[in-house]
Amino acid sequence: MREYELTFIAKPDLDATSMTALIERVKGITTADGGTIVKLENWGMRHMTYPIRRFRDGQYVHMVVSMEGASVARVEQRLKLVEEVIRHLLVVADEDVVPAAAPVSAPALVTTEAPATVEAPVTTEAPATDTSAA
């Protein structure tokens, strides 16, 4: 099984109970073919850059789902039939990306001694002058 990221945008006029029912419906669609929900995040209401089906706002939900590759087309086909979902995106989860919940911090630099000061060398020679000027 592979992990996939599913993000969908629901209509903005759904109330809390309708939104919960929609999330349960989408969970049922993804688990119908043997998939499992790894992570579920409800991102809430957000303003969209451009209108989708005449909506300027939408309720975003992000899921990480583990399922077989053959199930992807069936899940996308079923999501197209859900009227409350105005847009969805289902992609393979990138395994090389570090999750946002665990940021990598840079190691702290610790110095125990003060840096040595470097002085410019003192020259005792006089600068050369050119006496062969014509």
Side-chain angles (χ1 to χ4, degrees):
M1 289 190 156
R2 268 185 115 157
E3 286 192 353
Y4 295 87
E5 292 185 18
L6 170 63
T7 304
F8 67 90
I9 306 171
K11 290 182 177 180
D13 55 355
L14 295 177
D15 60 351
T17 57
S18 299
M19 191 63 193
T20 305
L22 175 63
I23 291 173
E24 291 300 319
R25 184 174 176 192
V26 172
K27 284 169 61 175
I29 289 172
T30 56
T31 58
D33 291 326
T36 57
I37 306 295
V38 177
K39 184 169 80 170
L40 173 69
E41 295 176 336
N42 188 348
W43 290 347
M45 185 75 70
R46 294 188 178 207
H47 185 74
M48 295 185 283
T49 305
Y50 56 90
I52 300 174
R53 295 188 195 169
R54 297 186 181 167
F55 293 110
R56 298 291 288 165
D57 298 316
Q59 298 185 45
Y60 284 67
V61 177
H62 178 77
M63 304 170 77
V64 177
V65 182
S66 178
M67 64 180 161
E68 296 292 333
S71 303
V72 172
R74 287 190 293 270
V75 168
E76 285 195 321
Q77 184 63 36
R78 291 178 186 152
L79 282 173
K80 289 178 185 176
L81 299 176
V82 178
E83 188 175 319
E84 293 86 5
V85 175
I86 58 176
R87 183 69 51 97
H88 73 276
L89 179 65
L90 180 64
V91 295
V92 176
D94 193 4
E95 297 168 356
D96 296 337
V97 175
V98 177
V104 177
S105 62
L109 297 175
V110 178
T111 58
T112 57
E113 297 178 14
T117 58
V118 178
E119 295 181 18
V122 178
T123 58
T124 57
E125 298 178 17
T129 57
D130 188 20
T131 58
S132 63

